[in-house]
Amino acid sequence: PPSGSSLCRSSHPFWGAACALTRMASAEEGAGSSSASKAPSARGGEALVLFTTKLPDRYQVQDDSLVVPASLARYGLSEVVNRLLGLEKPAPFDFLIDGEFLRTDLFEYLDARKLSSEKVLKLEYVLALSEPEEEQVDEVPDWISSVAALGPVPCPWFVASSHDGGLRLYEAGATRLTMKLADVSLTAVAARAAPGTAGKASLLAAAGKDGIVRCFRAELDARVATGPVATLRSKEHRQALEAVAINEDASLVAGGGWDNDVLVWNGGPTVFEEAEQEKAASSGGVKRKAVMGAEVEAPKFALQGHSQVVSSLHFGDKARYPFTLLSASWDCSVRVWDVAAASCVCNWTVARAVSSFSMSPGGPQMATSHEDGHVSLWDIRAPPHPTMQGAVTLDSSAGLPLTSAQSPHRRLASEVAWCPVDEQRLASVGHDGSLCILDPRSPKMPLQRVRLGKPGPVPTKLLCVTWLAREELAVGGSDGKVVRIMLNRSKGADDA
């Protein structure tokens, strides 16, 4: 072995274990799935590796370079680390090289980069995702069109809209409120924590197929109370809405859909009226008919530019993308609007029809989902804001270069959502019935794929997903089921 390595055939107790694992490696191993292929590799030779980790002390190995069979991939390497650690219960590990997850064996990695076998490969190992747990929260008589957390993540409260015109509020696994909001399908829902309430109240807006946005305030306590439902409409725009958004201080509400325009209404206390506490319902799964409030007959302004249906809307974070509204469309574009000037400042072409998009909580990045099952990651290249530190100016000079693209779904990718508290974690759902956990450091395949609902040639269409915590999501689909997914439930909080 090369000089400086601590593992050799004759002297290191783990050499035999490593050799025994040679045939476990596979270039086609799955992304964290227990059903992944483990075809043996015929590659020979050796590779020099150095294991490092940022995990707690009990997962630390000696900081020495080791010679291992080059045919080892992530499963074989994981067993080597487990042998080195001597854990009573083996732990599954994943491996990063130069900031990217290893998805081949070591021989193929070295060969693809024309590296010598004497090159020390620094492998950072992290705990792989364990088998997720599913919990059915509810089942309704029609499709679940949208789900959203009711406050900053982590948040036990979330809402689901349905094509039966109902809106349902949940706390963890319990139904707390069922409200008949409309006689038409609700296609999307947005929610914000009410300012100054410490998460005890939420502001909600639901888009309908009648072109109307319905808004109300919900008090989230032992007793759930809802204020009057305000209706926002436009006489010139009567086609179905597909997207809705609320800005940070709830002063603006935006909607978009099959009219191709983005409509922006004034929000504020008139639209989100407080509930009368004496009329609050008792705790439990209460059914309630909406009490109608203010009616707004015209939007503040309409933003024109998209040539096909508007599929997704998000107001830019004030601290990073001030005074902006972003929209995506089936016309293969993402647009940025200056809400102060009511004008388009960016028009980014993304090559495919966009079903949804999500912004990274870390650096200036965006994820988009597409009709062909693709999920794409993009860098936002923009100059710094002249007056707001940490913010960028989204204008005509801003670019959107592609970082990576993969096809985690075999049918339409319905929605992608970036975890608000972890910039290395995304989730996507699709019409193939799959929930995929993605990571920017694994640009070619998801970390984990979970099949939900009915299997077979006509699977359940998964339509929406939202993060409730770093290890918890809510998913809805065409079977009318609302499901909570718990990731890494078997691991401690300090291990995740």
Side-chain angles (χ1 to χ4, degrees):
S3 60
S5 63
S6 64
L7 182 58
C8 65
R9 293 178 182 81
S10 59
S11 62
H12 200 288
F14 299 110
W15 172 256
C19 290
L21 297 168
T22 297
R23 299 186 62 81
M24 295 179 61
S26 170
E28 298 178 355
E29 290 171 325
S33 171
S34 60
S35 61
S37 171
K38 296 186 182 178
S41 170
R43 306 190 191 280
E46 299 167 347
L48 188 59
V49 301
L50 176 66
F51 291 115
T52 66
T53 189
K54 299 174 183 175
L55 293 172
D57 289 345
R58 64 178 176 275
Y59 294 117
Q60 301 281 344
V61 300
Q62 189 174 351
D63 189 16
D64 287 325
S65 56
L66 310 173
V67 174
V68 298
S71 57
L72 291 183
R74 46 195 293 251
Y75 288 102
L77 292 168
S78 181
E79 189 159 341
V80 170
V81 172
N82 272 283
R83 299 260 184 155
L84 293 171
L85 291 171
L87 295 176
E88 187 174 317
K89 181 180 179 182
F93 294 104
D94 220 332
F95 297 86
L96 290 155
I97 304 182
D98 294 330
E100 187 172 313
F101 279 103
L102 178 67
R103 290 297 177 258
T104 65
D105 60 31
L106 296 174
F107 181 93
E108 186 172 334
Y109 180 88
L110 291 168
D111 186 61
R113 290 156 180 79
K114 309 300 181 186
L115 299 176
S116 165
S117 61
E118 294 192 9
K119 166 72 174 178
V120 178
L121 298 179
K122 189 175 181 180
L123 300 178
E124 180 187 348
Y125 57 96
V126 297
L127 286 169
L129 291 174
S130 59
E131 193 72 20
E133 295 182 18
E134 303 174 25
E135 177 190 349
Q136 182 175 320
V137 177
D138 199 3
E139 185 171 2
V140 306
D142 214 329
W143 292 15
I144 302 298
S145 59
S146 185
V147 287
L150 295 185
V153 172
C155 179
W157 289 85
F158 67 101
V159 60
S161 62
S162 171
H163 284 275
D164 66 357
L167 209 63
R168 295 163 176 86
L169 271 62
Y170 305 97
E171 184 183 15
T175 304
R176 294 296 304 276
L177 178 69
T178 300
M179 176 183 284
K180 181 68 174 179
L181 203 61
D183 294 325
V184 299
S185 296
L186 298 179
T187 56
V189 66
R192 288 271 188 191
T197 63
K200 295 295 185 180
S202 185
L203 311 177
L204 297 96
K209 278 201 170 181
D210 55 1
I212 297 175
V213 177
R214 294 165 173 86
C215 305
F216 66 96
R217 176 182 172 120
E219 309 294 334
L220 311 176
D221 214 329
R223 294 172 177 266
V224 180
T226 58
V229 177
T231 56
L232 312 180
R233 66 181 79 211
S234 170
K235 293 180 180 179
E236 290 76 29
H237 301 80
R238 298 182 180 274
Q239 294 194 48
L241 296 172
E242 292 292 333
V244 66
I246 307 170
N247 73 340
E248 285 187 42
D249 61 4
S251 61
L252 296 174
V253 179
W258 289 93
D259 280 303
N260 303 342
D261 294 344
V262 177
L263 308 177
V264 180
W265 293 268
N266 285 317
T270 303
V271 171
F272 299 103
E273 292 187 55
E274 291 191 27
E276 297 181 26
Q277 290 297 329
E278 61 268 19
K279 295 182 180 180
S282 60
S283 60
V286 176
K287 295 184 178 180
R288 189 179 309 162
K289 186 176 180 180
V291 177
M292 304 314 294
E295 295 187 11
V296 181
E297 296 293 335
K300 183 178 183 179
F301 50 80
L303 302 170
Q304 299 179 334
H306 286 297
S307 59
Q308 293 191 43
V309 57
V310 176
S311 56
S312 188
L313 291 169
H314 293 285
F315 281 96
D317 292 341
K318 191 174 181 180
R320 297 193 299 159
Y321 314 107
F323 311 112
T324 59
L325 170 64
L326 292 88
S327 62
S329 169
W330 287 85
D331 65 6
C332 306
S333 74
V334 175
R335 287 177 177 257
V336 182
W337 310 88
D338 184 330
V339 293
S343 63
C344 181
V345 292
C346 290
N347 182 15
W348 293 319
T349 301
V350 294
R352 297 179 175 92
V354 185
S355 56
S356 77
F357 72 96
S358 182
M359 307 298 286
S360 168
Q365 288 183 299
M366 175 192 299
T368 54
S369 60
H370 302 276
E371 91 291 346
D372 60 356
H374 269 79
V375 172
S376 301
L377 301 186
W378 310 82
D379 277 339
I380 298 174
R381 302 283 175 83
H385 196 277
T387 59
M388 298 183 65
Q389 187 175 2
V392 296
T393 300
L394 297 181
D395 56 21
S396 58
S397 66
L400 193 72
L402 179 67
T403 302
S404 65
Q406 58 178 278
S407 297
H409 302 282
R410 289 178 291 177
R411 302 185 183 184
L412 181 144
S414 311
E415 186 171 10
V416 62
W418 219 306
C419 180
V421 292
D422 187 349
E423 61 182 308
Q424 306 290 7
R425 187 167 288 189
L426 302 90
S428 66
V429 292
H431 284 196
D432 59 354
S434 294
L435 162 68
C436 294
I437 306 301
L438 311 173
D439 191 307
R441 299 168 297 179
S442 180
K444 296 180 181 179
M445 63 179 67
L447 292 184
Q448 191 169 55
R449 180 180 285 108
V450 184
R451 291 298 300 270
L452 300 175
K454 181 181 69 174
V458 187
T460 298
K461 296 180 177 70
L462 299 185
L463 305 174
C464 49
V465 61
T466 192
W467 291 93
L468 305 178
R470 185 179 180 274
E471 308 290 349
E472 184 177 342
L473 305 102
V475 177
S478 61
D479 57 2
K481 294 179 181 178
V482 179
V483 180
R484 287 171 70 212
I485 305 294
M486 281 70 74
L487 308 175
N488 294 334
R489 176 56 65 90
S490 61
K491 297 177 185 176
D494 59 340
D495 295 343

